[in-house]
Amino acid sequence: MLITREMDYALRILRALHREGQLSAGTIAQQEHMPKAVTLKILKQLHAAGMVDSRRGSGGGYLLQTPCEGLYLGDLFHALGDPPLLNRCQQPGYRCENRPEGDCGLCRELTRVQQVLERELHKTPLSAIFQDI
């Protein structure tokens, strides 16, 4: 599992919208020191996932559709299409090469750790993460 640059940018976009409300893509890109084209691409993904909404026109921009109090890191991983899997044996439909009739001890342990990871990624809302210390 790796926090990709795309994931980092998505977090920064959500943080900017959480703090300031409605913003244009250009303003987000400038404030968060991100390329505008990448900002627009990620905003499109966040919009498709139902996390942000867009408004057209001179007073338009992007705003949160789902408040950050109800969003978690796990939601963001899934929205960007990169669920954080420890190993391929956590993928749906995976058949263990070592034990085709069932999972091996390694798969069972990694699945247990995967479940702990999923709980942790849904434990703290983004609003708490975005608070300044």
Side-chain angles (χ1 to χ4, degrees), residues 27-119:
T27 300
I28 295 169
Q30 183 178 23
Q31 285 182 0
E32 296 296 329
H33 309 286
M34 303 181 323
K36 186 175 178 184
V38 175
T39 302
L40 285 165
K41 175 188 168 206
I42 295 171
L43 280 164
K44 185 177 179 180
Q45 290 175 302
L46 294 173
H47 183 266
M51 293 181 177
V52 301
D53 200 4
S54 64
R55 302 239 168 103
R56 293 180 180 244
S58 61
Y62 292 87
L63 62 152
L64 291 173
Q65 185 171 339
T66 303
C68 286
E69 290 79 10
L71 290 175
Y72 300 84
L73 285 171
D75 298 328
L76 198 52
F77 272 110
H78 292 284
L80 296 178
D82 294 325
L85 299 177
L86 295 175
N87 195 354
R88 63 183 179 188
C89 59
Q90 275 75 56
Q91 293 175 330
Y94 176 78
R95 290 185 49 93
C96 182
E97 294 107 5
N98 297 315
R99 297 194 48 156
E101 69 281 354
D103 59 351
C104 68
L106 179 60
C107 288
R108 281 191 304 275
E109 179 60 11
L110 290 175
T111 298
R112 183 193 69 74
V113 174
Q114 183 72 40
Q115 291 167 346
V116 171
L117 175 62
E118 283 292 325
R119 280 193 305 272

Coordinates of all heavy atoms in Angstrom, one line a residue, residues 27-119:
T27 N -8.0 28.2 -8.0 CA -7.6 28.6 -6.6 C -7.1 27.5 -5.8 O -6.1 27.6 -5.1 CB -8.9 29.3 -5.9 OG1 -9.3 30.4 -6.7 CG2 -8.5 29.7 -4.5
I28 N -7.7 26.3 -5.9 CA -7.3 25.2 -5.1 C -5.8 24.8 -5.6 O -5.0 24.6 -4.8 CB -8.2 23.9 -5.4 CG1 -9.6 24.2 -4.8 CG2 -7.6 22.7 -4.8 CD1 -10.6 23.2 -5.2
A29 N -5.6 24.8 -6.9 CA -4.3 24.4 -7.4 C -3.3 25.4 -6.9 O -2.2 25.0 -6.5 CB -4.3 24.4 -9.0
Q30 N -3.6 26.7 -6.9 CA -2.6 27.7 -6.5 C -2.4 27.6 -5.0 O -1.2 27.6 -4.6 CB -3.2 29.1 -6.8 CG -2.2 30.2 -6.5 CD -2.8 31.6 -6.9 OE1 -3.9 31.7 -7.0 NE2 -1.9 32.5 -7.1
Q31 N -3.4 27.5 -4.2 CA -3.2 27.4 -2.7 C -2.5 26.1 -2.3 O -1.7 26.2 -1.4 CB -4.6 27.4 -2.0 CG -5.3 28.7 -2.0 CD -6.6 28.7 -1.3 OE1 -7.0 27.6 -0.8 NE2 -7.2 29.8 -1.2
E32 N -2.7 25.1 -3.0 CA -2.2 23.8 -2.6 C -0.9 23.4 -3.4 O -0.4 22.3 -3.2 CB -3.2 22.7 -2.7 CG -4.4 22.8 -1.8 CD -4.0 22.8 -0.3 OE1 -3.1 22.0 0.0 OE2 -4.7 23.4 0.5
H33 N -0.4 24.3 -4.2 CA 0.8 24.1 -5.0 C 0.7 22.8 -5.8 O 1.6 22.0 -5.8 CB 2.0 24.1 -4.1 CG 2.0 25.3 -3.2 ND1 2.4 26.5 -3.6 CD2 1.7 25.4 -1.9 CE1 2.3 27.4 -2.6 NE2 1.9 26.7 -1.5
M34 N -0.4 22.7 -6.6 CA -0.6 21.6 -7.5 C -0.8 22.0 -8.9 O -1.3 23.1 -9.1 CB -1.8 20.8 -7.0 CG -1.7 20.3 -5.6 SD -3.2 19.4 -4.9 CE -4.6 20.1 -5.7
P35 N -0.4 21.2 -9.9 CA -0.8 21.5 -11.3 C -2.3 21.6 -11.5 O -3.0 20.8 -11.0 CB -0.2 20.4 -12.1 CG 0.8 19.7 -11.2 CD 0.3 19.9 -9.8
K36 N -2.7 22.6 -12.2 CA -4.2 22.8 -12.4 C -4.8 21.6 -13.1 O -5.9 21.2 -12.8 CB -4.5 24.1 -13.1 CG -5.9 24.4 -13.2 CD -6.3 25.7 -13.8 CE -7.8 25.9 -13.9 NZ -8.1 27.2 -14.6
A37 N -4.1 21.1 -14.1 CA -4.7 20.0 -14.9 C -4.9 18.7 -14.0 O -5.9 18.1 -14.1 CB -3.7 19.6 -16.1
V38 N -4.0 18.5 -13.1 CA -4.1 17.4 -12.2 C -5.2 17.6 -11.2 O -6.0 16.8 -10.8 CB -2.8 17.1 -11.4 CG1 -2.9 16.0 -10.4 CG2 -1.7 16.7 -12.5
T39 N -5.3 18.9 -10.7 CA -6.4 19.3 -9.8 C -7.7 19.0 -10.4 O -8.6 18.4 -9.8 CB -6.2 20.8 -9.4 OG1 -4.9 21.0 -8.8 CG2 -7.3 21.2 -8.4
L40 N -7.9 19.4 -11.7 CA -9.2 19.2 -12.4 C -9.5 17.7 -12.5 O -10.6 17.3 -12.4 CB -9.1 19.9 -13.8 CG -9.3 21.4 -13.7 CD1 -8.9 22.0 -15.1 CD2 -10.7 21.8 -13.4
K41 N -8.4 16.9 -12.9 CA -8.6 15.5 -13.0 C -9.1 14.8 -11.7 O -10.0 14.0 -11.7 CB -7.3 14.8 -13.4 CG -7.3 13.3 -13.5 CD -6.0 12.7 -13.7 CE -6.0 11.2 -13.5 NZ -4.7 10.7 -13.1
I42 N -8.5 15.2 -10.6 CA -8.9 14.6 -9.3 C -10.2 15.2 -8.9 O -11.0 14.4 -8.3 CB -7.8 14.9 -8.3 CG1 -6.5 14.1 -8.7 CG2 -8.2 14.4 -6.9 CD1 -5.3 14.4 -7.9
L43 N -10.5 16.4 -9.1 CA -11.8 17.0 -8.8 C -12.9 16.2 -9.6 O -14.0 15.9 -9.0 CB -11.9 18.4 -9.2 CG -11.3 19.4 -8.1 CD1 -11.1 20.8 -8.7 CD2 -12.2 19.5 -6.9
K44 N -12.6 15.8 -10.8 CA -13.6 15.0 -11.6 C -13.8 13.6 -10.9 O -15.0 13.2 -10.8 CB -13.1 14.8 -13.0 CG -14.0 14.1 -13.9 CD -13.5 14.1 -15.3 CE -14.4 13.3 -16.2 NZ -13.9 13.2 -17.6
Q45 N -12.8 13.0 -10.4 CA -12.9 11.7 -9.7 C -13.7 11.9 -8.4 O -14.5 11.1 -8.1 CB -11.5 11.1 -9.4 CG -10.8 10.7 -10.7 CD -9.4 10.2 -10.3 OE1 -8.6 11.0 -9.8 NE2 -9.1 9.0 -10.7
L46 N -13.4 12.9 -7.7 CA -14.1 13.2 -6.4 C -15.6 13.5 -6.7 O -16.4 13.1 -5.9 CB -13.4 14.3 -5.7 CG -12.0 14.0 -5.2 CD1 -11.4 15.3 -4.6 CD2 -12.0 12.9 -4.1
H47 N -15.8 14.2 -7.8 CA -17.2 14.5 -8.2 C -17.9 13.2 -8.5 O -19.1 12.9 -8.0 CB -17.3 15.4 -9.3 CG -18.6 15.8 -9.7 ND1 -19.3 15.2 -10.7 CD2 -19.5 16.8 -9.3 CE1 -20.5 15.7 -10.8 NE2 -20.6 16.7 -10.0
A48 N -17.3 12.3 -9.3 CA -17.9 11.0 -9.6 C -18.2 10.2 -8.4 O -19.2 9.4 -8.4 CB -17.0 10.3 -10.6
A49 N -17.4 10.3 -7.4 CA -17.5 9.5 -6.2 C -18.5 10.2 -5.2 O -18.8 9.6 -4.1 CB -16.2 9.4 -5.4
G50 N -19.1 11.3 -5.6 CA -20.1 12.0 -4.7 C -19.5 12.7 -3.6 O -20.2 13.1 -2.6
M51 N -18.2 13.0 -3.6 CA -17.6 13.7 -2.5 C -17.6 15.3 -2.7 O -17.7 16.0 -1.7 CB -16.1 13.3 -2.3 CG -16.0 11.9 -1.8 SD -14.3 11.4 -1.6 CE -14.5 9.7 -1.0
V52 N -17.5 15.7 -4.0 CA -17.6 17.1 -4.2 C -18.7 17.4 -5.3 O -19.0 16.5 -6.0 CB -16.2 17.7 -4.7 CG1 -15.1 17.5 -3.7 CG2 -15.8 17.2 -6.1
D53 N -19.1 18.6 -5.3 CA -20.1 19.1 -6.3 C -19.5 20.2 -7.0 O -18.6 20.9 -6.5 CB -21.4 19.5 -5.6 CG -22.6 19.5 -6.5 OD1 -22.4 19.1 -7.7 OD2 -23.7 19.9 -6.0
S54 N -20.0 20.5 -8.2 CA -19.5 21.7 -9.0 C -20.6 22.6 -9.3 O -21.8 22.2 -9.5 CB -18.7 21.2 -10.2 OG -19.6 20.6 -11.1
R55 N -20.3 23.9 -9.4 CA -21.3 24.9 -9.7 C -20.7 25.7 -10.9 O -19.5 26.1 -10.8 CB -21.5 25.8 -8.6 CG -22.1 25.1 -7.4 CD -23.4 25.6 -6.9 NE -24.0 24.7 -6.0 CZ -24.1 25.0 -4.7 NH1 -23.6 26.1 -4.2 NH2 -24.6 24.1 -3.8
R56 N -21.4 25.9 -11.9 CA -21.0 26.6 -13.1 C -21.2 28.1 -12.9 O -22.0 28.5 -12.1 CB -21.6 26.1 -14.4 CG -21.2 24.7 -14.7 CD -22.0 24.2 -15.9 NE -21.6 22.9 -16.3 CZ -20.9 22.6 -17.4 NH1 -20.6 23.5 -18.2 NH2 -20.6 21.3 -17.6
G57 N -20.6 28.9 -13.8 CA -20.9 30.3 -13.9 C -19.8 31.1 -13.2 O -18.8 30.6 -12.6
S58 N -20.0 32.4 -13.2 CA -19.0 33.4 -12.6 C -18.8 33.2 -11.1 O -17.7 33.4 -10.6 CB -19.4 34.8 -12.9 OG -20.6 35.1 -12.3
G59 N -19.8 32.8 -10.4 CA -19.7 32.5 -9.0 C -19.6 31.0 -8.7 O -19.8 30.6 -7.6
G60 N -19.2 30.3 -9.7 CA -19.1 28.8 -9.5 C -17.8 28.4 -8.9 O -17.0 29.1 -8.4
G61 N -17.7 27.1 -8.9 CA -16.5 26.4 -8.3 C -16.9 25.1 -7.8 O -17.9 24.5 -8.1
Y62 N -16.0 24.6 -6.9 CA -16.2 23.3 -6.3 C -16.5 23.4 -4.8 O -16.0 24.3 -4.2 CB -15.0 22.4 -6.5 CG -14.8 22.0 -8.0 CD1 -14.1 22.9 -8.8 CD2 -15.4 20.9 -8.5 CE1 -14.0 22.6 -10.2 CE2 -15.2 20.5 -9.8 CZ -14.5 21.4 -10.7 OH -14.4 21.1 -12.0
L63 N -17.3 22.5 -4.3 CA -17.6 22.5 -2.9 C -17.9 21.1 -2.4 O -18.1 20.2 -3.3 CB -18.8 23.4 -2.5 CG -20.2 23.0 -3.1 CD1 -21.3 23.5 -2.2 CD2 -20.3 23.7 -4.5
L64 N -17.8 20.8 -1.1 CA -18.0 19.5 -0.6 C -19.4 19.1 -0.8 O -20.3 19.9 -0.4 CB -17.6 19.4 0.8 CG -16.1 19.6 1.1 CD1 -15.9 19.6 2.6 CD2 -15.3 18.4 0.5
Q65 N -19.7 17.9 -1.3 CA -21.0 17.4 -1.3 C -21.2 16.5 -0.1 O -22.3 16.5 0.5 CB -21.2 16.5 -2.6 CG -22.6 16.0 -2.7 CD -22.8 15.3 -4.1 OE1 -22.0 15.5 -5.0 NE2 -23.8 14.5 -4.2
T66 N -20.2 15.9 0.4 CA -20.2 15.1 1.7 C -19.3 15.8 2.6 O -18.1 16.0 2.4 CB -19.7 13.7 1.4 OG1 -20.5 13.1 0.4 CG2 -19.8 12.9 2.7
P67 N -19.8 16.3 3.8 CA -18.9 16.9 4.8 C -17.8 16.0 5.2 O -18.0 14.8 5.3 CB -19.9 17.2 5.9 CG -21.2 17.2 5.4 CD -21.2 16.2 4.3
C68 N -16.6 16.6 5.5 CA -15.5 15.8 5.9 C -15.7 15.1 7.3 O -15.0 14.2 7.6 CB -14.2 16.7 6.0 SG -13.6 17.1 4.3
E69 N -16.7 15.5 8.0 CA -17.0 14.8 9.2 C -17.5 13.4 8.9 O -17.5 12.5 9.8 CB -18.1 15.5 10.0 CG -17.6 16.8 10.7 CD -17.5 18.0 9.7 OE1 -18.0 17.9 8.6 OE2 -16.9 19.0 10.1
G70 N -18.0 13.1 7.7 CA -18.5 11.8 7.3 C -17.6 11.1 6.2 O -18.0 10.1 5.7
L71 N -16.4 11.6 6.0 CA -15.5 11.0 5.1 C -14.2 10.5 5.8 O -13.8 11.1 6.8 CB -15.0 12.1 4.0 CG -16.0 12.5 3.0 CD1 -15.5 13.6 2.1 CD2 -16.5 11.3 2.2
Y72 N -13.7 9.4 5.4 CA -12.5 8.8 6.0 C -11.5 8.5 4.9 O -11.8 8.4 3.7 CB -13.0 7.5 6.7 CG -14.0 7.8 7.8 CD1 -15.4 7.9 7.5 CD2 -13.6 8.0 9.1 CE1 -16.3 8.2 8.5 CE2 -14.5 8.3 10.1 CZ -15.9 8.4 9.8 OH -16.8 8.7 10.7
L73 N -10.3 8.2 5.4 CA -9.2 7.8 4.4 C -9.6 6.6 3.6 O -9.3 6.6 2.4 CB -7.9 7.5 5.2 CG -7.1 8.7 5.7 CD1 -6.0 8.3 6.6 CD2 -6.6 9.6 4.6
G74 N -10.3 5.7 4.2 CA -10.7 4.5 3.4 C -11.6 4.8 2.3 O -11.6 4.3 1.2
D75 N -12.5 5.8 2.5 CA -13.4 6.3 1.5 C -12.7 6.8 0.3 O -13.0 6.6 -0.8 CB -14.4 7.3 2.0 CG -15.3 6.9 3.2 OD1 -15.6 5.7 3.2 OD2 -15.6 7.7 4.0
L76 N -11.6 7.6 0.6 CA -10.8 8.2 -0.4 C -10.1 7.1 -1.3 O -10.0 7.2 -2.5 CB -9.9 9.2 0.2 CG -9.3 10.2 -0.8 CD1 -10.4 10.9 -1.6 CD2 -8.5 11.2 0.0
F77 N -9.5 6.2 -0.6 CA -8.8 5.1 -1.3 C -9.8 4.4 -2.3 O -9.5 4.2 -3.4 CB -8.3 4.0 -0.3 CG -7.0 4.3 0.2 CD1 -6.8 4.6 1.5 CD2 -5.8 4.1 -0.6 CE1 -5.5 4.8 2.1 CE2 -4.6 4.4 -0.1 CZ -4.4 4.7 1.2
H78 N -11.0 4.1 -1.8 CA -12.0 3.5 -2.7 C -12.5 4.4 -3.8 O -12.7 3.9 -4.9 CB -13.1 2.9 -1.8 CG -12.7 1.8 -1.0 ND1 -12.5 0.5 -1.4 CD2 -12.4 1.7 0.4 CE1 -12.1 -0.3 -0.5 NE2 -12.0 0.4 0.6
A79 N -12.7 5.7 -3.5 CA -13.1 6.6 -4.5 C -12.1 6.7 -5.7 O -12.5 6.9 -6.8 CB -13.4 8.0 -3.9
L80 N -10.8 6.7 -5.3 CA -9.8 6.8 -6.4 C -9.5 5.5 -7.0 O -8.6 5.4 -7.9 CB -8.5 7.4 -5.8 CG -8.7 8.8 -5.2 CD1 -7.4 9.3 -4.6 CD2 -9.2 9.8 -6.3
G81 N -10.2 4.4 -6.6 CA -10.0 3.1 -7.3 C -8.8 2.4 -6.8 O -8.4 1.4 -7.5
D82 N -8.2 2.8 -5.7 CA -7.0 2.1 -5.2 C -7.2 1.6 -3.8 O -6.6 2.1 -2.9 CB -5.8 3.1 -5.2 CG -5.4 3.5 -6.6 OD1 -5.5 2.6 -7.5 OD2 -5.0 4.6 -6.8
P83 N -8.0 0.5 -3.6 CA -8.2 0.0 -2.3 C -6.8 -0.4 -1.7 O -6.1 -1.1 -2.5 CB -9.2 -1.1 -2.4 CG -9.3 -1.4 -3.8 CD -8.8 -0.3 -4.6
P84 N -6.5 -0.1 -0.5 CA -5.2 -0.5 0.1 C -5.2 -2.0 0.5 O -5.5 -2.4 1.6 CB -5.1 0.4 1.3 CG -6.6 0.6 1.7 CD -7.4 0.6 0.4
L85 N -4.7 -2.8 -0.5 CA -4.6 -4.2 -0.2 C -3.1 -4.6 0.2 O -2.2 -4.1 -0.5 CB -5.0 -5.0 -1.4 CG -6.4 -4.8 -1.9 CD1 -6.7 -5.6 -3.2 CD2 -7.4 -5.2 -0.8
L86 N -3.0 -5.4 1.2 CA -1.7 -5.8 1.6 C -1.0 -6.8 0.6 O 0.2 -6.8 0.4 CB -1.7 -6.5 3.0 CG -2.1 -5.6 4.1 CD1 -2.3 -6.4 5.4 CD2 -1.1 -4.5 4.3
N87 N -1.9 -7.6 0.0 CA -1.4 -8.7 -0.9 C -2.5 -9.0 -1.8 O -3.7 -8.8 -1.6 CB -1.0 -9.9 0.0 CG -0.1 -10.9 -0.8 OD1 0.1 -10.7 -2.0 ND2 0.4 -11.9 -0.2
R88 N -2.2 -9.7 -2.9 CA -3.2 -10.0 -3.9 C -4.2 -11.0 -3.3 O -5.3 -11.1 -3.8 CB -2.6 -10.6 -5.1 CG -1.8 -11.9 -4.9 CD -1.1 -12.3 -6.1 NE -0.4 -13.5 -5.8 CZ 0.4 -14.2 -6.5 NH1 0.7 -13.7 -7.7 NH2 1.0 -15.2 -6.1
C89 N -3.9 -11.7 -2.2 CA -4.8 -12.7 -1.7 C -6.0 -12.0 -1.0 O -7.0 -12.7 -0.7 CB -4.2 -13.7 -0.7 SG -3.3 -13.0 0.7
Q90 N -6.0 -10.7 -0.9 CA -7.2 -9.9 -0.4 C -8.1 -9.5 -1.5 O -9.2 -9.0 -1.2 CB -6.7 -8.7 0.4 CG -6.4 -9.0 1.8 CD -5.0 -9.7 2.0 OE1 -4.0 -9.2 1.5 NE2 -5.1 -10.8 2.6
Q91 N -7.7 -9.7 -2.8 CA -8.6 -9.4 -3.9 C -9.8 -10.3 -3.9 O -9.6 -11.5 -3.7 CB -7.8 -9.4 -5.2 CG -6.8 -8.4 -5.3 CD -5.9 -8.5 -6.5 OE1 -5.7 -9.6 -7.1 NE2 -5.4 -7.4 -7.0
P92 N -11.0 -9.8 -4.3 CA -12.1 -10.7 -4.4 C -11.9 -11.8 -5.5 O -11.3 -11.5 -6.5 CB -13.2 -9.7 -4.9 CG -12.8 -8.3 -4.5 CD -11.3 -8.4 -4.5
G93 N -12.3 -13.0 -5.1 CA -12.2 -14.1 -6.0 C -10.8 -14.7 -6.1 O -10.6 -15.6 -6.9
Y94 N -9.9 -14.2 -5.3 CA -8.5 -14.8 -5.3 C -8.5 -16.3 -4.9 O -9.2 -16.6 -3.9 CB -7.6 -14.0 -4.4 CG -6.2 -14.6 -4.4 CD1 -5.3 -14.4 -5.4 CD2 -5.8 -15.3 -3.3 CE1 -4.0 -14.9 -5.3 CE2 -4.5 -15.9 -3.2 CZ -3.6 -15.7 -4.2 OH -2.4 -16.2 -4.2
R95 N -7.8 -17.1 -5.6 CA -7.6 -18.5 -5.2 C -6.1 -18.7 -4.9 O -5.3 -18.5 -5.7 CB -8.0 -19.4 -6.3 CG -9.5 -19.4 -6.5 CD -10.0 -20.4 -7.6 NE -9.5 -21.8 -7.4 CZ -10.1 -22.7 -6.7 NH1 -11.2 -22.5 -6.2 NH2 -9.5 -23.9 -6.6
C96 N -5.8 -19.2 -3.7 CA -4.5 -19.4 -3.2 C -3.8 -20.5 -4.1 O -4.3 -21.5 -4.2 CB -4.5 -19.8 -1.8 SG -2.9 -20.0 -1.0
E97 N -2.6 -20.1 -4.6 CA -1.8 -21.1 -5.3 C -1.3 -22.3 -4.4 O -1.1 -23.4 -4.9 CB -0.6 -20.5 -6.0 CG -1.0 -19.5 -7.1 CD -0.7 -18.1 -6.6 OE1 -0.2 -17.8 -5.5 OE2 -1.0 -17.2 -7.4
N98 N -1.1 -21.9 -3.2 CA -0.5 -22.9 -2.2 C -1.6 -23.9 -1.8 O -1.3 -25.1 -1.5 CB 0.1 -22.2 -1.0 CG 1.2 -21.4 -1.4 OD1 2.1 -21.8 -2.2 ND2 1.3 -20.1 -0.9
R99 N -2.8 -23.4 -1.7 CA -3.9 -24.3 -1.2 C -5.2 -24.0 -2.0 O -6.0 -23.3 -1.6 CB -4.2 -24.1 0.3 CG -3.0 -24.4 1.1 CD -3.3 -24.5 2.5 NE -4.5 -25.3 2.7 CZ -4.8 -25.9 3.8 NH1 -4.1 -25.9 4.8 NH2 -5.9 -26.6 3.9
P100 N -5.3 -24.5 -3.2 CA -6.4 -24.2 -4.1 C -7.8 -24.6 -3.4 O -8.8 -24.0 -3.8 CB -6.2 -25.1 -5.3 CG -4.7 -25.4 -5.3 CD -4.3 -25.4 -3.9
E101 N -7.8 -25.5 -2.5 CA -9.1 -25.9 -1.9 C -9.4 -24.9 -0.8 O -10.6 -24.9 -0.3 CB -9.0 -27.3 -1.3 CG -8.0 -27.4 -0.1 CD -6.6 -27.6 -0.4 OE1 -6.2 -27.6 -1.6 OE2 -5.7 -27.6 0.5
G102 N -8.5 -24.0 -0.4 CA -8.8 -23.0 0.6 C -7.6 -22.1 0.9 O -6.5 -22.4 0.3
D103 N -7.7 -21.1 1.7 CA -6.6 -20.2 1.9 C -5.6 -20.8 2.8 O -5.8 -21.7 3.6 CB -7.1 -18.9 2.4 CG -7.8 -19.0 3.8 OD1 -8.1 -20.1 4.2 OD2 -8.1 -18.0 4.4
C104 N -4.3 -20.4 2.6 CA -3.2 -20.8 3.5 C -3.1 -20.0 4.7 O -3.8 -18.9 4.8 CB -1.9 -20.8 2.7 SG -1.3 -19.2 2.2
G105 N -2.3 -20.4 5.6 CA -2.1 -19.6 6.8 C -1.6 -18.2 6.6 O -2.1 -17.2 7.3
L106 N -0.8 -17.9 5.6 CA -0.4 -16.6 5.2 C -1.5 -15.7 4.8 O -1.7 -14.6 5.2 CB 0.7 -16.7 4.2 CG 1.3 -15.3 3.7 CD1 1.9 -14.5 4.9 CD2 2.3 -15.5 2.6
C107 N -2.4 -16.3 3.9 CA -3.6 -15.6 3.4 C -4.5 -15.2 4.6 O -5.0 -14.1 4.7 CB -4.3 -16.4 2.4 SG -3.5 -16.5 0.8
R108 N -4.7 -16.2 5.5 CA -5.5 -15.9 6.7 C -5.0 -14.8 7.5 O -5.7 -13.9 7.9 CB -5.7 -17.2 7.5 CG -6.7 -18.2 7.0 CD -7.1 -19.3 7.9 NE -5.9 -20.0 8.4 CZ -5.3 -21.0 7.8 NH1 -5.9 -21.5 6.6 NH2 -4.3 -21.6 8.3
E109 N -3.7 -14.8 7.8 CA -3.1 -13.7 8.6 C -3.1 -12.4 7.9 O -3.5 -11.4 8.5 CB -1.7 -14.1 9.0 CG -1.0 -13.1 9.8 CD -1.6 -12.8 11.2 OE1 -2.6 -13.5 11.6 OE2 -1.3 -11.8 11.8
L110 N -2.8 -12.4 6.6 CA -2.9 -11.1 5.9 C -4.3 -10.6 5.8 O -4.5 -9.4 5.9 CB -2.3 -11.3 4.5 CG -0.8 -11.5 4.5 CD1 -0.3 -11.7 3.0 CD2 0.0 -10.3 5.1
T111 N -5.3 -11.5 5.7 CA -6.7 -11.1 5.7 C -7.1 -10.5 7.1 O -7.7 -9.4 7.1 CB -7.6 -12.2 5.4 OG1 -7.3 -12.7 4.1 CG2 -9.1 -11.9 5.5
R112 N -6.6 -11.0 8.2 CA -6.8 -10.5 9.5 C -6.2 -9.1 9.6 O -6.9 -8.1 10.0 CB -6.2 -11.4 10.6 CG -6.5 -10.9 12.0 CD -5.7 -11.6 13.0 NE -4.3 -11.2 13.0 CZ -3.8 -10.1 13.4 NH1 -4.6 -9.1 13.9 NH2 -2.5 -9.8 13.3
V113 N -5.0 -8.9 9.2 CA -4.3 -7.6 9.2 C -5.1 -6.6 8.3 O -5.3 -5.5 8.6 CB -2.8 -7.7 8.8 CG1 -2.2 -6.4 8.7 CG2 -2.1 -8.6 9.9
Q114 N -5.5 -7.1 7.1 CA -6.3 -6.3 6.2 C -7.5 -5.7 6.9 O -7.9 -4.6 6.7 CB -6.6 -7.1 5.0 CG -7.4 -6.3 3.9 CD -6.5 -5.3 3.2 OE1 -5.4 -5.6 2.9 NE2 -7.0 -4.1 2.9
Q115 N -8.2 -6.6 7.6 CA -9.4 -6.1 8.3 C -9.1 -5.1 9.4 O -9.9 -4.1 9.5 CB -10.1 -7.3 8.9 CG -10.7 -8.3 7.9 CD -11.2 -9.6 8.5 OE1 -10.8 -10.0 9.6 NE2 -11.9 -10.4 7.7
V116 N -8.0 -5.2 10.1 CA -7.6 -4.2 11.0 C -7.3 -2.9 10.3 O -7.7 -1.8 10.7 CB -6.4 -4.7 11.9 CG1 -5.8 -3.6 12.7 CG2 -6.8 -5.9 12.7
L117 N -6.6 -3.0 9.2 CA -6.3 -1.8 8.4 C -7.6 -1.1 7.9 O -7.7 0.1 8.1 CB -5.4 -2.2 7.2 CG -5.1 -1.0 6.2 CD1 -4.3 0.1 6.9 CD2 -4.3 -1.6 5.0
E118 N -8.5 -1.8 7.4 CA -9.8 -1.2 7.0 C -10.5 -0.5 8.1 O -11.0 0.6 8.0 CB -10.7 -2.3 6.4 CG -10.3 -2.7 5.0 CD -10.5 -1.6 4.0 OE1 -11.5 -0.8 4.1 OE2 -9.7 -1.6 3.0
R119 N -10.5 -1.1 9.3 CA -11.1 -0.5 10.5 C -10.4 0.8 10.8 O -11.1 1.8 11.1 CB -11.2 -1.4 11.7 CG -12.3 -2.4 11.6 CD -12.4 -3.1 13.0 NE -11.2 -3.8 13.5 CZ -10.8 -5.0 13.2 NH1 -11.5 -5.7 12.4 NH2 -9.7 -5.5 13.8

